[in-house]
Amino acid sequence: MIIAIAGATGVVGAQASDYATSQGHTVQPLSRSHNVDLQTGAGLDLTGVDAVIDCSGPNTISAKQSKNFFAAVTNNLLSAAAASGVQHFVPLSIVGAATAPYGYYAGKALQEELVAAGSVPYTLVRATQFFEFAEQKVIKLGSLRLMPTVKAQPIAAATVGKFLVDAAIAEPINSAVDIAGVEQHAMVDVFNQIQARRGYTHKAKEFNLPGAFGRSLRDGSILPGDDAQLLGPTLDQWLNEHSW
């Protein structure tokens, strides 16, 4: 299969690209580094593509910026996919986005609506937070490390990347599927355990992000429901897989 991957250089996109290639599929990266601007549609050509995986996303917690990004990117991908006869669209969303549509999640909630209303067959994959996000989201102030309070059931990016590819090569379900890790962890604890494995002494402290978005991160709104597929590894297993 020829699988186009939007955001192929990101945390999950890179994992999906590596796994797809290892399975004998041809990956067509869709990113600025490959002369494709997903927001304007410049350079976006899906001719001959069998399936599209969308792992793209902006670095923002602004609801307006997130919605603007996902509206543009999703509409451009759907239009290009429909024009080229792509048979399967697999966007990556977030568990809880539809029930807590605030901040960054507002864009994801809009993305889900656009995909469901589109004409391209799809499988919407919602995942919980990634272990890898713990180091990306920490705020460094001198020797102080701060982490928003996030009640999560984190999952490995490699697991999500593999799931996206496996979904893309299967038949579209024209619905959503939720995936999550097997254990609940506060994201600050994930960060501190990574730091300990690296031999660092700085520990992060939690703070409550204000507003509805911050509240949804800490009140259980983004935890998976009973219908979610729980996938390993555990945090300890994931830590042991890395050479820190």
Side-chain angles (χ1 to χ4, degrees), residues 4-8 28-32 34 36 38 44-46 52 77:
I5 301 181
Q28 180 174 319
L30 305 176
S31 65
R32 284 194 177 92
H34 294 88
V36 177
L38 293 170
L44 180 57
D45 182 1
L46 299 178
V52 175
L77 286 173

Side-chain angles (χ1 to χ4, degrees), residues 5-236:
I5 301 181
T9 57
V11 174
V12 174
Q15 296 284 354
S17 297
D18 289 346
Y19 176 71
T21 301
S22 75
Q23 298 303 299
H25 303 293
T26 299
V27 172
Q28 180 174 319
L30 305 176
S31 65
R32 284 194 177 92
S33 61
H34 294 88
N35 300 314
V36 177
D37 189 323
L38 293 170
Q39 288 184 268
T40 66
L44 180 57
D45 182 1
L46 299 178
T47 302
V49 169
D50 298 298
V52 175
I53 295 172
D54 182 13
C55 303
S56 64
N59 184 19
T60 184
I61 60 171
S62 163
K64 180 179 180 180
Q65 292 178 11
S66 182
K67 290 173 74 173
N68 287 343
F69 177 91
F70 284 110
V73 171
T74 304
N75 282 325
N76 285 334
L77 286 173
L78 286 172
S79 294
S84 298
V86 173
Q87 295 301 303
H88 201 173
F89 184 40
V90 184
L92 173 62
S93 189
I94 306 173
V95 170
T99 55
Y102 314 112
Y104 182 86
Y105 285 28
K108 281 297 185 182
L110 176 58
Q111 178 193 39
E112 293 188 11
E113 294 174 6
L114 293 171
V115 171
S119 62
V120 181
Y122 72 94
T123 298
L124 180 72
V125 178
R126 300 188 186 111
T128 51
Q129 302 291 312
F130 313 136
F131 293 131
E132 289 83 354
F133 273 3
E135 288 190 294
Q136 292 185 2
K137 301 303 181 182
V138 75
I139 299 170
K140 298 179 181 180
L141 299 173
S143 61
L144 183 63
R145 303 290 185 269
L146 296 174
M147 173 74 74
T149 304
V150 181
K151 188 176 182 181
Q153 195 158 323
I155 191 170
T159 300
V160 179
K162 180 180 182 298
F163 192 94
L164 288 168
V165 174
D166 288 343
I169 64 178
E171 291 297 315
I173 63 172
N174 294 316
S175 185
V177 58
D178 290 3
I179 60 174
V182 294
E183 303 169 327
Q184 288 188 23
H185 291 280
M187 291 306 289
V188 70
D189 293 332
V190 177
F191 175 80
N192 288 335
Q193 289 198 47
I194 293 173
Q195 291 293 96
R197 292 295 182 102
R198 292 189 185 279
Y200 298 153
T201 57
H202 293 307
K203 287 189 175 182
K205 296 183 178 181
E206 288 183 313
F207 75 98
N208 290 340
L209 199 67
F213 183 48
R215 184 168 60 252
S216 68
L217 295 179
R218 60 180 181 269
D219 69 2
S221 295
I222 64 170
L223 290 175
D226 294 338
D227 59 344
Q229 296 186 38
L230 305 186
L231 306 172
T234 65
L235 176 57
D236 279 343

